[in-house]
Amino acid sequence: MSHLMLRSGCAALALIIATPALAQTPSPDELAALVKAQAVEIATLKARLDKLEGQQVAAQAATQQAATQQPAPQMAQQDATQPLVITPFAPQIVPPGPADLDVAQARAVAANPAGVTTEWGAGLPVFRSADGVFTYKPRGRILVDVSSTMGSKYNGRNTTTTGMRALRLGLEGGVGPHFFYQFESDFSENEVDIVTAFLGYRNKISSKIDYDVRAGHLFNDRSFEGSTGSDSTPFLERTVVATAIIPQRGFYGIGIMGRMFGPNWHASLSVTGDRVDGDQTTNDSRTLMARAHWNPIKTDRSLLHVGGWFFDEALSSAATTLTRSTVIGGRFNGAVRVTTGELLGGKSDTGYGVELGGYTGGLWVMGEAGQRIARLDGGRSDFKSKAWSLSTGLFLTGELPPYNPRLGSFGQPNVLDPVLDGGSGAIELTARYENLDYTDLLLGGEGWAATLGVNWYLNSFTRIQLNGIQWHSDNRTGAYTGSDDGQTISARVGVTF
């Protein structure tokens, strides 16, 4: 449009200039000279106009070329800011948190050039410094249970109860590729209970072997389900091997643990005292514990698990009572238990067990057995308690069992079609038989339980579980003696983040 206006203006200017001369009625020679002069002037103006148009076209071409070249650096910048994705230890489980990374993963985080400082995953964000040195993540779990028992000959056992299996809040993080930490408290009993609390260091021995060392309030590495977190067990309660063949101090103790990891195995060794109790008026008990697992067969769709463990506990003078009362019909019916009767004067105890199982496709099987030997004072014979279990499960929706080959335990599953994405989630059917025997004592009881269950995983960190339990107990002492049978229905809604 500007070019047209410029041409029109030039023509008008030439006409204006020519008008006075035409008004004087010039001679033919004068008209010829005037026409020649106007032609020269018009040619000069046209040359100037062509030059201006050429300059404008060149500027437009340069602008278009710059525009076509601009997306390249933008794309490079987008590629550079892609968030770091942590590879899980197996495709069927979720990626580990900052405190569970191996050295290679931790180094990848520290060397991440993206500068991404916040990354969302598994319900809560992971915060990282721009240089990747510092990592921090809130963590927690909410497990809400309801349980109803029927069929017992004792009305006191036929109850319906509710409870919080876990109500935890904590944090975990790392400093550089080597140092890490974790802290969690549990509020499920309507009081503060410190559970995991440790500092750790990790490094590599070779390209295929790495290790870590943890110091603090540590969770046992003992038995398959005993080493699995309460938010990852395929049943609402761990097997009796995990709950009965256990040190007197329980699942936790303050001390130090070293762990070594290979391509298809791991081994751990720990020395701990009592759990956090605030009582320093007497010596702690001392517990030495070790566990190892090996996967002699390990493919993309199948795996064989072989494991073993033991512990030896020298009891404090304040921990000589060895009385046990173990739940057999679900955690939230305190009346359905197998008991040892009163057992005083303990000096030490030793426990050991074996694990054998594996999976192929979505089907998994795991067998466990263990024995605990308690040594008593006064020349009395040792007391032996025995437990075993056989469990199985089947994923109907295509997932592999959430087996963690690094730790030899279960973790959070990688759900293929989450409900929050419009899918159906993951569905797992489970079954278990377990047996507990305290009859080596004069007043010791025995019992067994058979459980059928179904788990619906809405996504990788949210689940709904239902268990139906047929149980049997035969106690020789306490409020509920003799042979007794019943049924317990239990359900849970759980979220882990």
Side-chain angles (χ1 to χ4, degrees), residues 46 65 75 85 105 107 206 215 228 231 281 324 337 356 361 373 378 380-381 389 412 426 453 465 479 483:
K46 184 177 182 302
Q65 183 178 4
M75 184 64 69
V85 178
Q105 292 168 329
R107 285 175 176 166
S206 68
T228 298
D231 59 338
T281 59
R324 283 288 169 87
R337 294 176 177 266
L356 180 62
I373 303 172
R380 291 176 293 170
S381 300
S389 67
Q412 297 293 317
Q465 296 178 272
S483 179

Side-chain angles (χ1 to χ4, degrees), residues 222-226 239-246 291 305 307-311 351-357 366-372 385-391 433-436:
R222 175 193 51 83
S223 83
F224 183 82
E225 286 197 25
T239 170
V240 291
V241 178
T243 57
I245 312 302
I246 186 173
R291 177 175 179 251
H305 170 100
W309 51 272
F310 94 98
F311 66 84
Y352 52 88
V354 294
E355 313 157 17
L356 180 62
M366 182 59 63
E368 296 193 68
Q371 179 171 272
R372 180 183 184 228
S385 52
K386 300 179 287 291
W388 64 275
S389 67
L390 181 63
S391 309
Y433 179 86
E434 54 190 330
N435 187 284
L436 177 59

Side-chain angles (χ1 to χ4, degrees), residues 206-219:
S206 68
S207 61
K208 294 184 177 181
I209 300 176
D210 62 291
Y211 70 92
D212 67 31
V213 179
R214 303 178 175 205
H217 199 229
L218 305 172
F219 181 62

Side-chain angles (χ1 to χ4, degrees), residues 330-488:
R331 183 181 182 88
F332 287 101
N333 189 331
V336 182
R337 294 176 177 266
V338 176
T339 65
T340 62
E342 188 176 56
L343 184 59
L344 307 177
K347 298 189 301 180
S348 64
D349 62 318
T350 299
Y352 52 88
V354 294
E355 313 157 17
L356 180 62
Y359 66 83
T360 178
L363 175 67
W364 63 268
V365 178
M366 182 59 63
E368 296 193 68
Q371 179 171 272
R372 180 183 184 228
I373 303 172
R375 301 173 187 89
L376 309 176
D377 62 10
R380 291 176 293 170
S381 300
D382 297 343
F383 158 52
K384 297 179 181 179
S385 52
K386 300 179 287 291
W388 64 275
S389 67
L390 181 63
S391 309
T392 186
L394 175 64
F395 279 85
L396 303 180
T397 45
E399 286 81 4
L400 294 177
Y403 178 86
N404 187 338
R406 181 173 173 84
L407 301 176
S409 60
F410 276 140
Q412 297 293 317
N414 179 23
V415 176
L416 300 178
D417 195 17
V419 171
L420 297 182
D421 293 340
S424 59
I427 298 176
E428 179 189 22
L429 303 180
T430 60
R432 179 173 71 190
Y433 179 86
E434 54 190 330
N435 187 284
L436 177 59
D437 185 357
Y438 289 146
T439 58
D440 194 46
L441 284 175
L442 180 63
L443 298 178
E446 62 181 346
W448 57 263
T451 303
L452 294 177
V454 58
N455 302 323
W456 181 29
Y457 303 90
L458 281 70
N459 53 34
S460 296
F461 55 91
T462 307
R463 66 174 65 187
I464 298 174
Q465 296 178 272
L466 179 66
N467 284 179
I469 308 170
Q470 174 69 45
W471 53 264
H472 168 82
S473 70
D474 189 356
N475 290 317
R476 301 175 184 176
T477 186
Y480 307 107
T481 58
S483 179
D484 189 28
D485 298 272
Q487 301 80 39
T488 298

Side-chain angles (χ1 to χ4, degrees), residues 82-107:
Q82 290 297 320
L84 177 68
V85 178
I86 301 297
T87 303
F89 295 117
Q92 65 265 31
I93 58 176
V94 299
D100 294 316
L101 299 173
D102 63 20
V103 180
Q105 292 168 329
R107 285 175 176 166

